[in-house]
């Protein structure tokens, strides 16, 4: 067992020095275990593939920053868990067709209705006040955390949360008006 760890540590050191083959070998050895972990977190095969791909990319770019080669596997698992959590956050923001209200899913122009609703939402976002629109874009479209948004916009985290709350309220009102056949952009 000790020989395996020494070999892995040697491969990590080679990968840190820019040896792509060493990195590929390391990742291939751990890939089945990483896949099982991802599958247990996200469930779907396509989401596992996305999480593994992002993990591979981030690990490859960041391997030179790994201080202790003995912790490579732990470090890689931490990256994977973060990527799986990211996939889950994105999934929560995505409307799945099966979760749409029944009245939208019925009818002959189902795709047109869904596309129209998505377009209405995009229009509603674009019609928000600049300060609200910016935080919505950064949070939902760029997937930045509240902390990062606060840093980028030089605001307090509380101010960012308040703007997101206000934006959600305005959007909810606008979308409900669109649903009633009235358009009310503020």
């Amino acid at each position: 067992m000790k020989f395996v760890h020494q070999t892995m540590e040697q491969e990590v050191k080679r990968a840190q020095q820019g040896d792509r083959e060493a990195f590929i070998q390391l990742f291939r050895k751990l890939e089945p275990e990483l896949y099982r972990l991802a599958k247990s977190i996200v469930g779907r095969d396509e989401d596992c593939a996305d999480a593994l791909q992002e993990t591979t990319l981030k690990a490859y770019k960041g391997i030179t920053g790994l201080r202790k080669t003995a912790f490579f596997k732990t470090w890689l698992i931490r990256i994977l868990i973060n990527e799986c959590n990211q996939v889950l956050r994105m999934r929560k923001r995505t409307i799945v067709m099966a979760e749409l209200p029944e009245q939208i899913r019925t009818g002959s122009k189902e795709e047109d209705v869904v596309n129209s609703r998505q377009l209405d939402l995009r229009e509603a976002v674009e019609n928000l006040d600049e300060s609200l629109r910016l935080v919505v874009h950064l949070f939902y479209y760029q997937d930045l955390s509240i902390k990062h948004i606060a840093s980028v916009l030089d605001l307090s985290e509380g101010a960012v949360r308040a703007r997101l709350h206000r934006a959600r309220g305005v959007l909810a009102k606008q979308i409900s008006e669109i649903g009633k056949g009235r358009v009310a952009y503020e």
Side-chain angles (χ1 to χ4, degrees):
M1 190 68 168
K2 187 172 184 153
F3 176 73
V4 172
H5 287 292
Q6 285 178 344
T7 303
M8 185 177 283
E9 285 185 46
Q10 290 169 350
E11 286 180 7
V12 171
K13 287 177 184 174
R14 288 190 3 240
Q16 286 179 315
Q17 295 168 353
D19 185 341
R20 287 186 202 179
E21 276 304 311
F23 181 82
I24 291 168
Q25 288 174 4
L26 280 167
F27 207 84
R28 282 193 180 146
K29 284 179 188 174
L30 296 172
E31 193 171 22
E33 187 177 341
L34 295 172
Y35 180 83
R36 283 191 300 275
L37 176 61
K39 183 78 169 168
S40 72
I41 297 170
V42 296
R44 298 183 199 158
D45 287 332
E46 58 272 11
D47 290 341
C48 292
D50 288 345
L52 281 169
Q53 183 176 3
E54 286 299 315
T55 299
T56 306
L57 182 62
K58 287 185 178 179
Y60 184 74
K61 287 181 176 180
I63 196 164
T64 56
L66 180 64
R67 290 186 211 124
K68 295 187 179 183
T69 57
F71 294 119
F72 173 76
K73 183 177 174 182
T74 305
W75 175 72
L76 197 57
I77 289 171
R78 182 80 251 157
I79 294 171
L80 178 65
I81 289 170
N82 288 337
E83 289 306 314
C84 288
N85 288 335
Q86 180 69 18
V87 167
L88 292 174
R89 282 191 297 274
M90 293 302 290
R91 190 187 296 169
K92 284 181 184 177
R93 294 184 192 146
T94 304
I95 298 174
V96 179
M97 286 295 289
E99 296 172 0
L100 289 173
E102 192 62 35
Q103 66 209 35
I104 294 174
R105 288 190 290 140
T106 59
S108 61
K109 296 186 179 183
E110 170 182 321
E111 285 183 32
D112 291 341
V113 171
V114 171
N115 290 336
S116 172
R117 297 268 168 124
Q118 289 173 348
L119 183 59
D120 290 341
L121 178 59
R122 284 195 184 122
E123 287 175 9
V125 169
E126 291 307 315
N127 285 308
L128 286 172
D129 178 63
E130 176 68 25
S131 64
L132 300 179
R133 184 174 65 241
L134 186 55
V135 294
V136 167
H137 272 281
L138 291 173
F139 189 75
Y140 291 106
Y141 297 118
Q142 299 300 316
D143 201 37
L144 293 180
S145 68
I146 289 176
K147 185 176 184 177
H148 283 120
I149 295 169
S151 174
V152 167
L153 298 178
D154 197 25
L155 297 169
S156 70
E157 290 180 32
V160 172
R161 282 189 191 91
R163 287 183 185 185
L164 277 172
H165 180 74
R166 260 194 324 254
R168 288 178 191 126
V170 171
L171 288 171
K173 182 178 177 186
Q174 288 179 3
I175 296 301
S176 73
E177 292 296 320
I178 290 169
K180 293 176 185 173
R182 297 184 299 258
V183 179
Y185 295 110
E186 294 177 9

